């Protein structure tokens, strides 16, 4: 394969940036007739966790053979990566590339530790929501590779496979099934779990933050006003003083045990819970969460991908590795096989959707929204979760919700 020096690569990279990130994608590594950079003497350090390391190694081997570069993989605990990256990049001791989650993005951009990337014509190969999640203030900052979200999971022996059209429809079918509980949803006990409850909230038109025309989140709280109060009243109506369907006695494990024992007809959970939910032989179907408020129920979607350090001395080489060696069908498939998550690469996502559960979660991502990655999101969870728990336990929905929104607006102002 013919190689070109880094000076030529810089010109090519500039042209690609001007071209933008639209168009169809490629599913193969660079062909023999194409040019590749000459990165002899360059070492890229990549942080990864144990699960994804073998898959990255495969792409790294091809990259080393074709460019002359060396790749050093550093295995880390995933939960430690964000803080270590923020702390070490400014000192020059961090990696060139790291794996990470999209909801780190606001903190990473604020700390000035990540660079924008350009996918060129590869952008068309990824799910739109994955690219939106990795975009901040209109700039793409990471190569996405996986998606995850919650969806409705139903016991097909009790209620069949058809998706309920609305919350009321679901509850009626659940009651008619004879199950002990028509529906169960975990609230992390007394802690609250606004994440899992979010699709019902969005069905009332009450997003946590307002999105601008480009899809980026602003710091304007979106769950106040009549829409937010309507959701809060619905939550109270189904809490301790209402139907009792939603209860703070249900934590993650209790939720899974009730469903697995056939005592609940429906639940809302993510793909990570499927094994526990089916541990006792329950047959399931994954469907979209039904609307409670009349609008589309849009859960959060989480995205994982790869970031380039703003202090990397090998940015062009790092960009080459991501866009031409990890942004391929084969590399994305290896990542999926190493740690099965819904692929962000559309062709691969469609292929693995032959599994009906995966297909169900993939369908839900089509109407999901990225979890906000703005720094203000860090101020949300404690207030939001606490208000939901109070309302479920019988507090006045309107005053409790409005106080939460006011406290949040004050906290982020």
């Amino acid at each position: 394969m013919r190689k070109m020096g880094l000076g030529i690569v810089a010109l090519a990279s500039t042209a690609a940036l001007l071209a933008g990130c639209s168009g169809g994608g490629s599913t193969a590594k660079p062909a023999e007739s194409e040019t590749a950079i000459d990165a002899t003497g360059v070492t890229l350090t990549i942080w990864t966790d144990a699960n994804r390391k073998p898959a990255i190694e495969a792409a790294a081997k091809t990259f080393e053979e074709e460019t002359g570069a060396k790749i050093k993989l550093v295995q880390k605990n995933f939960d430690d990566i964000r803080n270590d990256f923020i702390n070490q990049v400014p000192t020059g001791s961090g990696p060139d590339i790291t794996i990470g989650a999209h909801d780190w993005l606001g903190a990473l951009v604020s700390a000035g530790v990540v660079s924008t990337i350009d996918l060129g014509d590869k952008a068309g190969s990824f799910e739109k929501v994955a690219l939106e999640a990795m975009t901040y203030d209109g700039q793409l900052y990471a190569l996405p590779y996986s998606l995850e979200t919650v969806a409705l999971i139903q016991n097909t022996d009790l209620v069949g496979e058809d998706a309920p059209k609305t919350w009321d429809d679901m509850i009626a079918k659940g009651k008619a099934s004879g199950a002990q509980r028509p529906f169960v949803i975990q609230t992390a006990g007394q802690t609250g779990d606004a994440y899992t409850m979010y699709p019902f909230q969005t069905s009332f038109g009450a997003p946590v933050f307002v999105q601008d025309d480009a899809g980026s989140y602003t710091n304007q709280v979106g769950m106040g006003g009549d829409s937010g109060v309507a959701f809060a009243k619905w939550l109270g109506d189904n809490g301790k003083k209402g139907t009792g369907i939603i209860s703070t006695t249900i934590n993650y494990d209790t939720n899974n045990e009730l469903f697995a024992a056939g005592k609940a007809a429906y639940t809302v959970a993510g793909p990570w819970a499927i094994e526990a939910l089916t541990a006792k032989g329950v047959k399931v179907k994954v469907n979209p969460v039904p609307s409670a408020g009349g609008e589309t129920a849009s859960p959060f979607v989480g995205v994982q991908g790869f970031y380039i350090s703003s202090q990397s001395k090998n940015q062009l080489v790092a960009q080459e590795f991501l866009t031409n060696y990890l942004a391929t069908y084969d590399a994305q498939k290896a990542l999926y096989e190493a740690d099965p998550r819904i692929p962000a690469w559309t062709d691969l996502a469609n292929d693995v959707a032959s599994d009906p559960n995966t297909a169900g979660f993939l369908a839900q991502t089509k109407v999901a929204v990225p979890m906000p990655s703005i720094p203000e999101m860090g101020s949300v969870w404690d207030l939001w979760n606490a208000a939901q728990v109070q309302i479920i336990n019988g507090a006045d929905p309107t005053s409790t919700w409005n106080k939460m929104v006011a406290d949040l607006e004050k906290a982020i102002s």
Side-chain angles (χ1 to χ4, degrees), residues 22-110:
S22 63
S26 169
T27 58
K29 68 183 182 183
E32 286 298 320
S33 60
E34 295 176 356
T35 56
I37 64 172
D38 183 353
T40 302
V42 172
T43 297
L44 286 182
T45 299
I46 301 175
W47 283 1
T48 181
D49 60 359
N51 289 344
R52 273 69 71 92
K53 186 179 179 181
I56 299 171
E57 282 175 340
K61 181 179 179 181
T62 302
F63 184 70
E64 289 178 335
E65 291 172 351
E66 296 184 354
T67 67
K70 297 295 182 184
I71 289 186
K72 177 183 179 183
L73 293 180
V74 177
Q75 182 177 312
K76 295 180 69 70
N77 184 325
F78 187 82
D79 293 337
D80 296 333
I81 290 178
R82 175 168 56 175
N83 287 340
D84 288 354
F85 191 75
I86 290 173
N87 292 331
Q88 293 185 33
V89 165
T91 71
S93 59
D96 298 284
I97 297 171
T98 186
I99 197 167
H102 92 270
D103 58 324
W104 303 358
L105 186 50
L108 298 181
V109 172
S110 295

Side-chain angles (χ1 to χ4, degrees), residues 299-338:
F300 284 132
V301 62
V303 179
Q304 292 197 7
F306 296 88
Y307 295 97
I308 297 176
S309 164
S310 62
Q311 298 302 309
S312 170
K313 296 178 181 179
N314 305 303
Q315 300 234 1
L316 294 174
V317 181
Q319 170 90 15
E320 173 77 2
F321 178 68
L322 291 187
T323 57
N324 284 324
Y325 292 84
L326 280 186
T328 70
Y329 182 95
D330 289 344
Q332 296 289 310
K333 184 177 181 181
L335 286 164
Y336 170 78
E337 291 174 343

Side-chain angles (χ1 to χ4, degrees), residues 43-361:
T43 297
L44 286 182
T45 299
I46 301 175
W47 283 1
T48 181
D49 60 359
N51 289 344
R52 273 69 71 92
K53 186 179 179 181
I56 299 171
E57 282 175 340
K61 181 179 179 181
T62 302
F63 184 70
E64 289 178 335
E65 291 172 351
E66 296 184 354
T67 67
K70 297 295 182 184
I71 289 186
K72 177 183 179 183
L73 293 180
V74 177
Q75 182 177 312
K76 295 180 69 70
N77 184 325
F78 187 82
D79 293 337
D80 296 333
I81 290 178
R82 175 168 56 175
N83 287 340
D84 288 354
F85 191 75
I86 290 173
N87 292 331
Q88 293 185 33
V89 165
T91 71
S93 59
D96 298 284
I97 297 171
T98 186
I99 197 167
H102 92 270
D103 58 324
W104 303 358
L105 186 50
L108 298 181
V109 172
S110 295
V113 295
V114 285
S115 291
T116 59
I117 71 168
D118 176 64
L119 295 180
D121 63 1
K122 296 292 183 73
S125 294
F126 291 92
E127 291 290 294
K128 181 181 177 182
V129 70
L131 296 176
E132 289 176 348
M134 291 302 192
T135 298
Y136 192 88
D137 284 342
Q139 298 290 319
L140 184 66
Y141 279 91
L143 173 80
Y145 100 86
S146 72
L147 309 170
E148 61 185 17
T149 193
V150 298
L152 184 72
I153 301 172
Q154 57 197 66
N155 182 324
T156 58
D157 285 336
L158 292 174
V159 292
E161 295 191 357
D162 291 343
K165 295 178 176 61
T166 64
W167 164 269
D168 290 341
D169 180 36
M170 177 183 70
I171 298 303
K173 289 178 177 178
K175 288 180 176 179
S177 74
Q180 184 182 103
R181 295 171 181 258
F183 171 80
V184 65
I185 187 170
Q186 73 109 2
T187 65
Q190 295 292 331
T191 300
D193 185 13
Y195 173 90
T196 302
M197 202 70 68
Y198 194 61
F200 295 116
Q201 181 174 321
T202 56
S203 78
F204 285 88
V208 58
F209 286 109
V210 174
Q211 291 175 274
D212 62 23
D213 292 340
S216 296
Y217 282 100
T218 69
N219 63 358
Q220 179 184 349
V221 177
M223 52 186 173
D226 293 343
S227 296
V229 169
F231 166 70
K233 289 180 177 179
W234 172 86
L235 198 59
D237 288 344
N238 288 285
K240 189 174 182 179
K241 291 185 176 180
T243 65
I245 290 171
I246 300 174
S247 171
T248 59
T249 63
I250 306 298
N251 61 23
Y252 180 80
D253 290 335
T254 304
N255 183 89
N256 293 348
E257 289 167 4
L258 286 168
F259 188 90
K263 296 180 179 180
Y266 299 92
T267 189
V268 170
W272 51 84
I274 289 292
E275 183 176 354
L277 294 172
T278 59
K280 297 181 180 179
V282 167
K283 297 176 182 178
V284 300
K285 176 72 184 300
V286 179
N287 279 317
V289 177
S291 174
E295 298 187 25
T296 300
S298 298
F300 284 132
V301 62
V303 179
Q304 292 197 7
F306 296 88
Y307 295 97
I308 297 176
S309 164
S310 62
Q311 298 302 309
S312 170
K313 296 178 181 179
N314 305 303
Q315 300 234 1
L316 294 174
V317 181
Q319 170 90 15
E320 173 77 2
F321 178 68
L322 291 187
T323 57
N324 284 324
Y325 292 84
L326 280 186
T328 70
Y329 182 95
D330 289 344
Q332 296 289 310
K333 184 177 181 181
L335 286 164
Y336 170 78
E337 291 174 343
D339 184 36
R341 299 169 184 262
I342 301 170
W345 188 270
T346 299
D347 286 349
L348 178 60
N350 292 336
D351 287 348
V352 302
S354 57
D355 173 78
N357 290 338
T358 300
F361 286 111

Side-chain angles (χ1 to χ4, degrees), residues 399-410:
S399 61
T400 303
W401 193 260
N402 285 339
K403 182 178 186 304
M404 179 272 293
V405 171
D407 288 346
L408 176 55
E409 290 174 336
K410 182 179 179 180

